[in-house]
């Protein structure tokens, strides 16, 4: 990036450049492929269909490159396990088994027949299945069954088996409040799974359980073979009948371990400070796949740089433990499959959209002439690369104004970000002017922003806005210590890290201090609004289905996240004053600029009332606010018309706030002086 001249032009009008990247083009690319599977010579996956009311359709790529739908029109391979959904389909010997969004049932389907999908389970409004697994050699599907007994928090879960022939159902095990990753040992004598209980989240602490499989098909007494209250196992697969591969973090990084079936400790296979796993938001996610010869193929890395390597636990001096495959991707969908000779996955890079691909795998010790084939791309084919920004990974450090000591807000703390400069083939920022910038805040908050080609970001950079995506303290990809910087400090660390990046953009000459905005969705919406109401840095904020009042959210949200804030802020009721001090809705009268609030009316994770309350509080304080609601949308946009409307509303919002009248409060927001760290306020 070139540094523009260090001047500012706060009063000059901002008008978005004309761009070939339309909101409709972004909607066509929206979402990523998922649940990639090798099925004989074919590769199967599912993909979003924003133009078909947001359904997910399973497709397959034939050896000749032809891609065709596996599911007929009207069927939607999704579920609401943990509300975010879990693995929704698996191939079987004769077709596939899947969960259908609209009636919550399990279906079997033979795509090469003319028969419609056949329901296996009865239609029940209170029962959901997810995290599907088909044990080898058995005519059944295993799943996590979630049963609501009353409200959204009165929930029971169990690992169950459903016959692919008759639909007969039996319970395998029900040891924990949350369960995932059921697997049968190769000899059929043992079953493994991962479980955890409130108040922990799966990235805090989980247990890898192993039990003998009884003749009646149910699990016997289980033993915990890895994990615990402060150790998080996120995936486990059988290596052979006497040991398992597991991704766990006893040393502060999610790395691959070998776990013996009976006695003895887990052994780290690749003891490197990199992540071989991630946050388990969707049960069924996989970051590695075991190979028949005892090796594995795994995604690993840190921050913006992830890659795929072969992992050889028996390597010695003659060959390395990790053999990098040299693929042109820096991020991967959390779904990996492999057989003896091929890997199938979906990856993206700074100049590459998410694409399903296969690549050949070398034998141990052999040289490798890799054959990589791209099977599917979600890119809008009409977008010229000249319109796309080239991101830069940066690490910033807190300034001297931050508190000293061991506090998570301490000076010198690292903040990771990716910078996307305004990019247009026919326009450039005029000399001696700094462009406006928008800080993008990811959701979770236990999440991250991959540094990949993203048409949503390009929509804004091609219109003259700079974008900085921030992996604030609490993000995944940087080890447990970085993730736990947010413990007890949500609304403080995340806000101050975004402020740190914003000030760096100004001090390094990239951004106009009076034309900075912040936006985010869900937990990112919380951070955006907390920054708007608890600092004076931003001229405006955009929140998508964001949390605005943590007390009411903690009391009303769904079961999976109902104890999340115990760790992020503090247990209730004793921590209630902290919840109130950090609440954006209670500090609305201190907002440094206007807000744009967007929310789906069917959201069961963050109640639409959260945005309504914020809008009312801003209006009562005399601060401009636009509040848009979308009927039929849940937590995240799925429909093309919603994606278009939200993007177009957002760019209009930036045109308004970045051209304020002289002397207005928004005009004076964003002083070049370093802002103090956010503090608890009564």
């Amino acid at each position: 990036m070139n540094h523009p001249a260090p001047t500012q032009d706060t009063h000059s009008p901002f008008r978005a450049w004309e761009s070939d990247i339309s909101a409709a083009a972004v909607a066509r690319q929206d979402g990523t492929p998922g649940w990639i599977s090798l099925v004989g010579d074919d590769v199967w996956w599912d993909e979003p269909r924003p133009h078909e009311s947001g359904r997910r359709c399973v497709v397959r790529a034939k050896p000749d490159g032809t891609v065709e739908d596996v599911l007929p029109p009207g069927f939607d391979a999704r579920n609401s396990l943990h509300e975010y959904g879990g693995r929704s389909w698996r191939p079987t010997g004769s077709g596939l088994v899947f969960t259908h969004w609209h009636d919550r049932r399990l279906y079997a389907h033979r795509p090469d027949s003319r028969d419609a999908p056949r329901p296996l389970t009865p239609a029940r409004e209170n029962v959901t299945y997810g995290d599907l697994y088909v044990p080898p050699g058995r005519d059944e599907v295993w799943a996590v069954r979630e049963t609501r007994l009353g409200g959204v928090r009165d929930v029971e879960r169990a690992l169950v088996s459903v016959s692919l022939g008759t639909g007969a159902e039996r319970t395998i095990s029900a040891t924990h409040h949350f369960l995932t990753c059921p697997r049968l040992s190769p000899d059929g004598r043992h079953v493994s799974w991962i479980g955890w209980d409130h108040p922990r989240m799966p990235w805090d602490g989980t247990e890898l359980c192993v039990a003998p499989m009884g003749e009646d098909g149910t699990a016997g007494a289980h033993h915990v073979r890895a994990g615990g209250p402060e150790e998080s196992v996120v995936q486990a697969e059988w290596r052979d009948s006497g040991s398992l591969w597991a991704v766990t973090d006893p040393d502060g990084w999610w790395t691959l371990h070998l776990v013996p079936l009976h006695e003895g400790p887990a052994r780290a296979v690749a003891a490197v400070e990199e992540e071989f796993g991630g946050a388990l938001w969707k049960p069924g996610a996989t970051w590695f796949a075991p190979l028949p010869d005892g090796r594995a193929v795994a995604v690993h890395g840190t921050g913006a740089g992830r890659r795929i390597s072969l992992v050889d636990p028996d390597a010695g001096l003659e060959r390395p433990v990790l053999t990098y495959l040299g693929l042109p991707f820096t991020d991967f969908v959390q779904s990996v499959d492999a057989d003896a000779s091929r890997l199938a996955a979906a990856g993206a890079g700074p100049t590459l959209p998410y694409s399903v691909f296969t690549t050949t795998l070398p034998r141990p010790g052999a040289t490798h002439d890799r054959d990589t084939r791209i099977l599917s791309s979600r890119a809008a084919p009409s977008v010229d690369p000249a319109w796309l920004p080239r991101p830069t990974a940066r690490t910033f450090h807190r300034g001297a104004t931050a508190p000293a000591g061991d506090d998570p807000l301490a000076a010198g703390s690292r903040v990771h970000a990716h910078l996307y400069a305004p990019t247009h083939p026919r326009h450039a920022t005029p000399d001696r002017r700094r462009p406006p910038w928008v800080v993008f805040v990811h959701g979770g908050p236990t999440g991250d922003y991959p540094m990949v080609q993203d048409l949503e970001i390009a929509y804004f950079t091609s219109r003259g806005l700079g974008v900085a995506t921030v992996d604030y303290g609490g993000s995944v990809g940087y080890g447990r210590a970085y993730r736990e910087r947010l413990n007890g400090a949500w609304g403080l660390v995340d806000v101050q890290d975004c402020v740190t990046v914003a000030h760096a953009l100004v001090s390094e000459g990239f951004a106009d201090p009076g034309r900075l905005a912040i936006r985010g969705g869900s937990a990112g919406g919380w951070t955006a609004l907390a920054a708007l109401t608890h600092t004076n840095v931003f001229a405006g904020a955009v929140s998508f289905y964001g949390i605005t009042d943590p007390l009411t959210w903690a009391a009303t949200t769904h079961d999976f996240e109902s104890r999340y804030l115990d760790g992020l802020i503090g247990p209730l009721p004793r921590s209630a004053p902290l919840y109130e001090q950090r609440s954006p809705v209670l500090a609305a009268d201190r907002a440094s600029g206007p807000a744009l609030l967007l929310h789906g009316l069917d959201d069961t994770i963050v109640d639409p009332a959260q945005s309504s309350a914020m809008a009312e509080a801003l209006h009562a304080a005399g601060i401009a606010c636009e509040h848009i609601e979308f009927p039929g949308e849940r937590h995240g946009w799925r429909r093309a018309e919603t994606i278009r409307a939200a993007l177009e509303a957002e760019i209009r919002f930036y045109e308004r706030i970045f051209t304020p009248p002289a002397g207005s409060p928004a005009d004076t927001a964003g002083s070049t002086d370093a802002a103090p760290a956010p503090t608890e306020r009564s």
Side-chain angles (χ1 to χ4, degrees), residues 51-138:
H51 290 80
E52 298 179 30
S53 299
R55 79 171 180 126
R56 291 198 73 97
C57 182
V58 182
V59 301
R60 61 183 174 188
K62 309 294 286 183
D64 64 1
T66 303
V67 178
E68 60 188 24
D69 289 0
V70 172
L71 284 187
F75 284 90
D76 187 353
R78 289 190 291 142
N79 57 68
S80 60
L81 182 65
H82 296 181
E83 293 298 336
Y84 292 101
R87 173 130 195 179
S88 57
W89 62 272
R90 285 277 188 175
T92 63
S94 59
L96 80 160
V97 58
F98 68 96
T99 59
H100 181 39
W101 173 259
H102 295 290
D103 62 10
R104 303 171 176 262
R105 303 168 84 177
L106 281 169
Y107 284 79
H109 181 49
R110 310 181 90 175
D112 294 323
S113 74
R114 295 184 178 181
D115 298 333
R118 175 172 55 89
L120 297 174
T121 55
R124 292 171 289 183
E125 285 295 322
N126 67 326
V127 175
T128 297
Y129 299 88
D131 196 2
L132 273 55
Y133 165 71
V134 176
R138 299 201 175 202

Side-chain angles (χ1 to χ4, degrees), residues 263-331:
E263 300 296 332
R267 173 173 70 88
V269 175
V272 294
E273 291 190 345
E274 295 186 9
E275 301 281 39
F276 287 69
L280 194 58
W281 285 100
K282 288 182 174 288
T286 57
W287 294 267
F288 75 91
L291 301 180
D293 62 12
R295 297 178 298 163
V297 60
V299 175
H300 62 101
T302 60
R306 294 180 174 88
R307 52 188 178 175
I308 292 185
S309 294
L310 282 163
V311 185
D312 188 347
D314 300 321
L317 297 177
E318 297 182 355
R319 60 182 189 268
V321 173
L322 296 176
T323 301
Y324 174 45
L325 294 184
L327 298 166
F329 308 107
T330 57
D331 191 65

